[in-house]
Amino acid sequence: MAEQDWALEPGWLLSPAGRPYLDSILHKNQRRVFGLLERPALPPALAVPTVTYKLFLAGRSGVGKTALVAWLRGTPVPPAHHETLGIEATPLFWPAKPRASGRPVLFQLHLWDCGDGALRKFEHLLPACKEEADAALFLFSFTDRASFEELPALMGRVLGPGDCDIVRMVVGTKFDLAPHAAVTEADVRAFEGTWGLRVLRAGGTPGAGGARAGLARVAPVLDALVEGLWRRDQVTAGITPGDTGDTPT
């Protein structure tokens, strides 16, 4: 799906119209880190509805799940890999504007990261991660071809026939390490054509999404994530004609 067909306006938050809402998620030109009970402060005249989504990250050990959460949130990316021992839930806020409305929406994303080893060892963790989840993010690393080739098996292992209401999304990490890439653009295009899923590309540069200037790197990924979920809700409500239900292109 082309961006002109999106239900949300891509890039709106970084436009002049989105500036007051962008300021609400920044502190001294850096991304503000919100606790579980905190939210951006907006003046009454700019108050907007909040829509909350739960996203579960799945991928083999070392693929960059924890680093992706940090990159999207604007906090420093861990310098070295460490296995997540259980479940870590991280909130972030992302304002966006529906095309059909003059009123923006404040999206609250809860990113659930669970270590692959723990997920395999403790069978109760996967149901907990999937419970009331709105989306499953399947990760691979552009520097690890095996993680890419395992995507079909990973999707089949995580989501079953009864999980049709969970939006499937695919994210390729370490895209900025091009000299070390083991997955080509041709590989990605072939996967997208076979599975009907767009592959989102994420970097791993420390703190890239933390400063105001670095938001341009993470904004396309966050815009695509909320677009896929918002469109699902619009289709379910009968407001937008149904399509494949996958992440927009």
Side-chain angles (χ1 to χ4, degrees):
M1 182 184 299
E3 286 191 353
Q4 62 264 29
D5 298 322
W6 281 25
L8 300 173
E9 294 184 16
W12 172 83
L13 186 60
L14 303 185
S15 71
R19 178 65 182 268
Y21 299 91
L22 174 60
D23 289 343
S24 75
I25 63 171
L26 296 175
H27 177 67
K28 295 182 179 179
N29 282 330
Q30 296 287 324
R31 290 279 292 282
R32 181 182 169 190
V33 176
F34 293 92
L36 290 175
L37 300 179
E38 295 179 312
R39 56 172 291 135
L42 287 165
L46 297 178
V48 294
T50 300
V51 176
T52 302
Y53 292 127
K54 175 183 174 181
L55 299 87
F56 163 49
L57 281 67
R60 68 186 298 182
S61 179
V63 81
K65 298 185 292 296
T66 302
L68 175 65
V69 171
W71 187 75
L72 292 174
R73 197 187 194 195
T75 54
V77 175
H81 169 256
H82 71 278
E83 181 74 9
T84 302
L85 300 179
I87 296 174
E88 294 183 1
T90 302
L92 70 82
F93 289 90
W94 191 251
K97 181 180 175 299
R99 290 187 187 274
S101 171
R103 193 181 189 192
V105 174
L106 181 63
F107 291 99
Q108 183 178 17
L109 306 182
H110 291 276
L111 305 174
W112 282 50
D113 170 21
C114 184
D116 188 54
L119 205 60
R120 294 175 183 271
K121 184 176 181 180
F122 303 107
E123 60 182 23
H124 68 281
L125 290 181
L126 179 57
C129 290
K130 290 167 53 175
E131 184 179 8
E132 299 184 352
D134 296 287
L137 273 57
F138 297 100
L139 274 63
F140 74 93
S141 168
F142 274 95
T143 64
D144 181 357
R145 185 166 185 84
S147 68
F148 175 75
E149 294 176 342
E150 290 176 2
L151 280 175
L154 175 65
M155 292 189 291
R157 187 170 68 248
V158 171
L159 296 183
D163 297 320
C164 57
D165 57 331
I166 298 179
V167 178
R168 295 181 302 163
M169 303 181 179
V170 178
V171 181
T173 63
K174 305 177 185 178
F175 181 65
D176 49 358
L177 301 179
H180 307 284
V183 179
T184 68
E185 287 298 317
D187 294 329
V188 171
R189 288 194 298 270
F191 176 88
E192 291 176 326
T194 299
W195 290 91
L197 295 169
R198 178 190 177 188
V199 174
L200 304 177
R201 295 158 173 79
T205 303
R212 182 187 294 268
L215 275 169
R217 302 181 186 179
V218 300
V221 177
L222 285 167
D223 278 347
L225 293 179
V226 297
E227 166 68 23
L229 291 163
W230 180 255
R231 176 169 289 275
R232 180 208 60 176
D233 289 350
Q234 299 300 292
V235 171
T236 301
I239 299 173
T240 301
D243 50 24
T244 61
D246 296 323
T247 309
T249 57

